[in-house]
């Protein structure tokens, strides 16, 4: 016989549900924060000093002129005119070349009075014609040059005629000027790198090859694929040595430890696995991510594993105890890539929220957030020798300087979704994209010296030509790419390539022309 449900228990459930609903909606997040008078005063004081500091002297200057010269009268151009004693020459006060904002506030004579909206030539002639005595006034009340007049006029300094700049001669007064030709910007000469050529295509996977890593001994390399397998290949011959199964979805990241015989892998099945390569078995699982795990990296000096996921977090794991040391929260979208280094900052992440974060490993908090990119950051690579790194995004590739993430330069021209970056000690930066193109750059100057678009494997569609991962081997003489046509492609430097620095051409046995290569000295 089924027991009857007591009536008060139903009431309890109803009231419990009402309480949960009330707790959920009790906070009114749309309610504006009450204004703090003290904070508002501080804010307005800072804004006044930073934005209007250059013209704060003007009311005082006007008052002084009014006391000195008497009542003000208007002129047809809207400027104030201050009349002095009778019989003296009128002195004009220019309040700027545009009514808002006001200009530098320089007292001019009738000879140098200008219209409200002067042309560029008029502004230059004004700067040249200012009397020398005015130049000795307070620097805050003096037009130092054409650039300042342009700024106060609301015109960019870059609108000046290119290649020319007006240099004011302080010793002889503003009436003397020297037109100095600006030096044309020159691009530093990039180092010459031999081109890379495809010499081997390795087949064996049944799905997209999503990740690749070379072991520290440089004897073999490992790949992970959308066919849910991990394969180990001989680096010299390209032959398959071993297949590991255990993931139930696409394998998105693999890395081989240099400190122990372990292989770490992660995938879209939310799993992070540690494989013992002596037994070819999984010995540890790292549980905690709530969604697909997109990448992983090992710390070079301590037994710490870092993973990044679509759940917008990166997690730090103790390799041996499987404990989650930190959960790095702060990104607002999927974290696509993570890198570790021994120096500070020890962890760098790139995310689909367009930001790069540099993390404090000890505190587990963000140290610096870089917001320069406008699109998803899918790749980050650290230079093996310099204290710098690069990030790849569909808008461009950017180079940064550690430890604070100071911006160095843009590498523009690879107009595609960049999935992977790799760099070697010689300063060759490789970017691989979703459309199958691969660009090679000189790290120091950002010069794009080669572009490669390898043909897809026979039987594959042209659309299946994406490059998902690339890596240099330990000798840095070979470049391996993991691609969407289910193959691994191996590139090496072209030994026969020579940069011919000088070409001599003879014309009618009279003229001889010498043409120098752009790269070589």
């Amino acid at each position: 016989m089924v027991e009857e449900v007591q009536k008060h228990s139903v009431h309890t459930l109803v009231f419990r549900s009402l309480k949960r609903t009330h707790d959920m909606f009790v906070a009114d997040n749309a309610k504006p924060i009450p204004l703090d008078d003290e904070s508002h005063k501080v804010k307005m004081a800072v804004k006044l000093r930073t934005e209007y500091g250059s013209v704060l002297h003007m009311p005082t200057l006007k008052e002084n002129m009014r006391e000195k010269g008497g009542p003000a009268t208007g002129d047809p151009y809207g400027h104030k005119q201050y009349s002095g004693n009778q019989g003296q020459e009128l002195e004009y006060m220019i309040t700027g070349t545009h009514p808002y904002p006001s200009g530098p506030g320089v007292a001019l004579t009738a000879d140098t009075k200008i219209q409200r909206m002067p042309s560029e030539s008029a502004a230059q002639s004004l700067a040249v014609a200012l009397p020398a005595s005015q130049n000795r006034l307070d620097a805050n009340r003096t037009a130092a040059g054409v650039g300042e007049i342009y700024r106060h006029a609301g015109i960019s300094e870059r609108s000046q005629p290119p290649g020319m700049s007006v240099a004011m001669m302080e010793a002889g007064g503003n009436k003397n000027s020297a037109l100095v030709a600006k030096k044309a910007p020159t691009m530093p000469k990039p180092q010459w790198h031999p081109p890379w050529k495809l010499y081997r295509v390795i087949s064996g996977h049944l799905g997209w090859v999503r990740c690749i890593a070379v072991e520290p001994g440089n004897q073999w390399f490992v790949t992970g694929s959308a066919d849910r397998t991990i394969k180990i290949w001989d680096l010299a011959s390209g032959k398959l040595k071993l297949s590991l199964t255990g993931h139930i979805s696409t394998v998105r990241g693999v890395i081989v430890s240099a400190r122990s015989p372990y292989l770490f892998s992660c995938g879209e099945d939310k799993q992070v696995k540690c494989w013992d390569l002596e037994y070819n078995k999984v010995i540890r699982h790292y549980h905690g991510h709530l969604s697909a795990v997109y990448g992983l990296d090992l710390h070079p000096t301590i037994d710490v594993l870092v993973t990044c996921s679509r759940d917008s977090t990166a997690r730090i794991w103790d390799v041996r105890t499987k404990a989650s040391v930190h959960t790095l929260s702060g990104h607002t979208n999927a974290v696509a890539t993570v890198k570790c280094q021994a120096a500070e900052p020890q962890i760098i992440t790139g995310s689909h929220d367009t930001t790069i974060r540099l993390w404090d490993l000890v505190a587990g908090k963000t140290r610096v957030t870089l917001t320069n990119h406008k699109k998803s950051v899918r790749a980050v690579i650290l230079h093996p020798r310099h204290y710098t790194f690069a990030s790849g995004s569909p808008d461009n590739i950017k180079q940064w300087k550690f430890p604070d993430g100071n911006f160095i330069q843009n590498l523009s021209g690879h107009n595609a979704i960049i999935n992977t970056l790799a760099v070697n000690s010689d300063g060759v930066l490789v970017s691989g994209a979703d459309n199958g193109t691969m660009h090679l750059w000189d790290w120091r100057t950002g010069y794009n010296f080669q572009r490669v678009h390898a043909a897809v494997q026979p039987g594959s569609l042209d659309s299946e030509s994406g490059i998902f991962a690339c890596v240099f081997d330990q000798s840095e003489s070979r470049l391996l790419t993991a691609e969407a046509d289910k193959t691994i492609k191996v590139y090496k430097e072209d030994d026969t390539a020579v940069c011919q620095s000088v070409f001599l051409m003879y014309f009618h046995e009279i003229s001889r022309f010498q043409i120098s290569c752009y790269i070589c000295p």
Side-chain angles (χ1 to χ4, degrees), residues 471-501:
V471 66
F472 286 98
D473 71 344
Q474 302 301 332
S475 68
E476 298 183 338
S477 62
R478 284 168 287 195
L479 173 66
L480 297 86
T481 62
E483 307 205 4
D485 62 357
K486 308 172 188 174
T487 66
I488 302 107
K489 293 184 172 67
V490 186
Y491 295 82
K492 67 177 181 180
E493 291 181 341
D494 189 355
D495 299 331
T496 62
V498 177
C499 183
Q500 301 177 5
S501 60

Side-chain angles (χ1 to χ4, degrees), residues 2-164:
V2 180
E3 296 182 1
E4 294 183 0
V5 179
Q6 297 180 4
K7 291 184 179 181
H8 72 269
S9 64
V10 176
H11 289 295
T12 302
L13 292 174
V14 171
F15 285 118
R16 189 178 300 168
S17 176
L18 288 174
K19 183 178 182 301
R20 288 175 178 170
T21 305
H22 176 267
D23 292 342
M24 182 179 296
F25 295 102
V26 68
D28 187 3
N29 296 321
K31 187 176 181 180
I33 300 174
L35 182 65
D36 181 19
D37 293 337
E38 187 68 23
S39 301
H40 183 68
K41 289 179 181 178
V42 172
K43 174 186 172 184
M44 295 308 295
V46 171
K47 184 174 182 179
L48 190 67
R49 185 171 64 253
T50 56
E51 296 189 15
Y52 305 105
S54 60
V55 294
L56 285 178
H57 64 279
M58 291 191 60
T60 306
L61 184 63
K62 288 182 180 180
E63 291 296 330
N64 294 339
M65 294 294 293
R66 185 176 290 110
E67 291 175 5
K68 177 182 176 182
T73 57
D75 71 349
Y77 304 109
H79 298 300
K80 303 278 185 173
Q81 299 180 4
Y82 299 96
S83 59
N85 297 330
Q86 291 186 1
Q88 292 184 353
E89 185 181 5
L90 287 178
E91 189 170 339
Y92 295 91
M93 177 68 184
I94 176 171
T95 58
T97 54
H98 193 276
Y100 299 102
S102 56
V106 180
L108 304 177
T109 63
D111 296 333
T112 56
K113 179 183 173 185
I114 62 171
Q115 304 293 330
R116 178 176 296 180
M117 292 297 291
S119 62
E120 293 182 7
S121 59
Q124 290 190 16
S125 62
L126 167 66
V128 173
L130 288 178
S133 59
Q134 286 296 124
N135 194 36
R136 298 189 183 96
L137 291 175
D138 184 9
N140 292 331
R141 300 199 299 267
T142 303
V146 176
E148 188 171 347
I149 290 178
Y150 274 116
R151 280 197 297 274
H152 287 291
I155 305 172
S156 172
E157 290 185 54
R158 295 187 179 181
S159 63
Q160 299 180 36
M164 304 297 290

Side-chain angles (χ1 to χ4, degrees), residues 415-438:
N415 300 318
I417 298 174
I418 296 175
N419 290 321
T420 179
L421 294 172
V423 64
N424 65 9
S425 300
D426 292 333
V428 176
L429 174 66
V430 181
S431 57
D434 225 27
N435 59 0
T437 59
M438 186 169 65

Side-chain angles (χ1 to χ4, degrees), residues 187-191 399 409-411 442-447:
M187 176 181 174
K189 278 191 175 182
Q191 178 186 351
Q399 288 180 345
Q409 65 178 344
N410 273 330
L411 279 64
D442 178 61
W443 178 275
R444 184 176 63 88
T445 61
Y447 175 66

